Amino acid sequence: MSTGFNTRAIHLGQEPDAQSGAVIPPIYQTSTYGQTEVGGDPTYCYSRTGNPTREALEKNIAGLENAKHGLCFASGMSAINNVLNLLSAGDHVVACNDLYGGAYRIFTKLYAKFGIEFTFVDATQPTNIRTALRKNTRIVWLETPSNPLLRITDIRACASIAREAGALCVVDNTFATPYLQNALQLGADIVVHSTTKYLNGHSDVLGGAVVVDSDDLHQQLRFFQNTVGAVPGPQDCFLIQRGIKTLALRMRQHCASAKQIAKTLAQHPNVEHVYFPGLSDHPQHQIAISQMNDFGGIVSFNLRGGLRAVEKFAANAGLWTLAESLGGVCSLWCHPPTMTHAAVEREVRLKNGLGDGLIRLSVGLEDIDDLLADLTKALDSAGKEIADTPAREGVLV
Ligand SMILES: *Cc1c(COP(=O)(O)O)cnc(C)c1O
């Protein structure tokens, strides 16, 4: 479809209802469908297999990624699980090491036990992927920008390495959203999303999606979807669809505010390091420019003073809410070492650069002056802690 992003977001899969003319697709709150003949082949027979509200969303998300097929799930993790169902015992996966904690957990704690091997590499150097490839490598798994360090992986380079090796390239596009980055056009085979985040955008529903262009992959993944379940209910699909209509508008503001916040953090004496691909000193700033339309709404930073300073920050964070998740209208902050990445062993975490003072911000849509005022107040208060306490072991440098 050659129309613009907003037009697709608002109209794809959203034709007025044939029966009633309703401009918004009805919420088909049904588990099953009456059939008109014995042994017939009805369009809908059971809602795990198909539901019109879900199909409207699947069509819409596929269109946002300029792809042919979308599949929706009850969560981002069930979308990831759907893709992992492609693997068999004895297969090998190369994954980036700066990965969503839940993805790391499903790889190492669940699929590893079925005889699937995982190698984690720093994918910001695509040659590391080449080096890790084996004869049995089936998937190269990327997340860019990554969570929580916002490292950028060169999707074109990695996808072409995967293709040469006969492996599929999967990109978790949750942080960028289809508005900022279209990984399939950059050579990836499969895109996964946690629609819980920006696509829904209002912190009120869980969901996931898998997007592919290949008919063959679609057929396999559709079979797994129907076989495993974990499909979203029609109400959830409706909410995510409603969120998507304003995705572009929201993303523009998320990106603009995040830039200002990153600049403020970079100048604050109590901040050791800022991770944001929009800063010119970010190591993959140029790659970000080459594959993204903007830099996203997530900013991470190391607070000087480790855990004690983080506690002070927490007590003074004002309208920034301490919470897991991201991508909603409300600004959130989280402490990955004790929250999203608590499932990652401490030594693995430190080795991957996630120090004890790491804070991740999900910049919301409140007025930027209010966000900056409360952030500065929290940073200043953390500084008092630093002055009172001698430097502690385990503080990230
Ligand atoms: C949140 C998230 C997931 C998991 O999604 P859920 O909807 O929480 O199951 C996967 N990948 C990334 C990058 C995420 O941020």
Side-chain angles (χ1 to χ4, degrees):
M1 191 169 183
S2 56
T3 45
F5 188 88
N6 283 300
T7 309
R8 277 179 282 148
I10 293 167
H11 289 291
L12 260 187
Q14 308 294 300
E15 296 76 23
D17 180 49
Q19 207 175 353
S20 66
V23 293
I24 299 301
I27 300 169
Y28 286 90
Q29 190 72 47
T30 189
S31 61
T32 191
Y33 306 83
Q35 303 188 19
T36 50
E37 53 177 321
V38 176
D41 184 21
T43 314
Y44 298 104
C45 56
Y46 189 57
S47 273
R48 173 159 34 70
T49 317
N51 177 286
T53 316
R54 189 174 94 219
E55 278 177 16
L57 179 64
E58 290 180 330
K59 200 168 163 191
N60 189 272
I61 293 179
L64 296 184
E65 291 282 9
N66 297 304
K68 262 161 80 181
H69 308 287
L71 298 109
C72 287
F73 295 90
S75 67
M77 285 317 302
S78 47
I80 289 174
N81 183 61
N82 176 257
V83 174
L84 295 176
N85 286 175
L86 289 166
L87 298 167
S88 305
D91 285 345
H92 175 242
V93 175
V94 179
C96 60
N97 59 9
D98 185 16
L99 194 67
Y100 177 69
Y104 180 78
R105 179 172 54 197
I106 198 173
F107 290 178
T108 58
K109 300 271 160 49
L110 192 63
Y111 278 85
K113 106 182 162 179
F114 301 129
I116 292 156
E117 291 180 299
F118 295 87
T119 306
F120 297 93
V121 300
D122 174 0
T124 59
Q125 304 297 327
T127 51
N128 291 340
I129 291 180
R130 199 189 294 280
T131 311
L133 289 172
R134 299 185 197 159
K135 277 205 192 67
N136 56 341
T137 305
R138 261 314 290 289
I139 286 180
V140 170
W141 192 285
L142 309 174
E143 199 183 302
T144 179
S146 71
N147 178 28
L149 295 182
L150 302 162
R151 290 181 182 141
I152 304 293
T153 298
D154 185 338
I155 298 173
R156 284 187 195 88
C158 296
S160 95
I161 291 172
R163 182 167 312 109
E164 278 169 37
L168 295 169
C169 177
V170 182
V171 174
D172 185 330
N173 204 26
T174 299
F175 272 42
T177 81
Y179 179 65
L180 298 182
Q181 175 173 282
N182 293 116
L184 296 175
Q185 269 82 68
L186 298 167
D189 300 286
I190 303 177
V191 164
V192 301
H193 283 286
S194 167
T195 54
T196 310
K197 315 293 169 52
Y198 288 107
L199 289 178
N200 175 63
H202 294 74
S203 302
D204 52 11
V205 65
L206 289 182
V210 175
V211 183
V212 291
D213 223 21
S214 143
D215 296 337
D216 177 46
L217 273 176
H218 171 240
Q219 215 172 4
Q220 295 180 62
L221 297 169
R222 183 69 71 184
F223 171 80
F224 301 142
Q225 182 194 44
N226 185 41
T227 302
V228 176
V231 290
Q235 299 266 359
D236 289 352
C237 293
F238 164 80
L239 283 170
I240 293 162
Q241 187 70 68
R242 183 181 166 120
I244 284 175
K245 290 173 188 175
T246 55
L247 179 65
L249 273 174
R250 287 186 285 107
M251 288 313 290
R252 282 202 283 276
Q253 187 61 49
H254 284 300
C255 291
S257 295
K259 265 177 227 163
Q260 288 208 45
I261 283 176
K263 274 188 211 143
T264 302
L265 286 167
Q267 286 160 6
H268 200 283
N270 301 336
V271 172
E272 216 163 351
H273 188 77
V274 183
Y275 302 91
F276 183 65
L279 292 175
S280 58
D281 66 350
H282 184 286
Q284 295 96 34
H285 181 59
Q286 290 308 325
I287 297 170
I289 289 172
S290 79
Q291 67 186 23
M292 299 174 74
N293 298 324
D294 208 337
F295 305 107
I298 309 292
V299 186
S300 296
F301 64 97
N302 287 323
L303 191 58
R304 289 186 201 281
L307 259 182
R308 294 279 294 277
V310 173
E311 283 160 13
K312 277 279 175 190
F313 181 94
N316 294 281
L319 58 80
W320 293 85
T321 302
L322 174 62
E324 307 243 0
S325 200
L326 57 104
V329 294
C330 305
S331 288
L332 306 177
W333 73 279
C334 91
H335 181 235
T338 54
M339 297 167 73
T340 52
H341 289 62
V344 182
E345 302 84 354
R346 186 169 186 267
E347 45 204 90
V348 175
R349 174 166 66 70
L350 291 177
K351 206 172 122 232
N352 290 341
L354 279 80
D356 295 330
L358 186 71
I359 286 178
R360 184 191 75 191
L361 304 178
S362 171
V363 179
L365 303 184
E366 300 91 339
D367 292 289
I368 184 67
D369 291 343
D370 295 334
L371 290 176
L372 284 172
D374 282 8
L375 182 64
T376 307
K377 188 169 57 107
L379 291 171
D380 291 346
S381 72
K384 294 202 187 72
E385 180 62 32
I386 300 161
D388 296 347
T389 334
R392 284 158 31 114
E393 288 288 318
V395 172
L396 184 97
V397 220

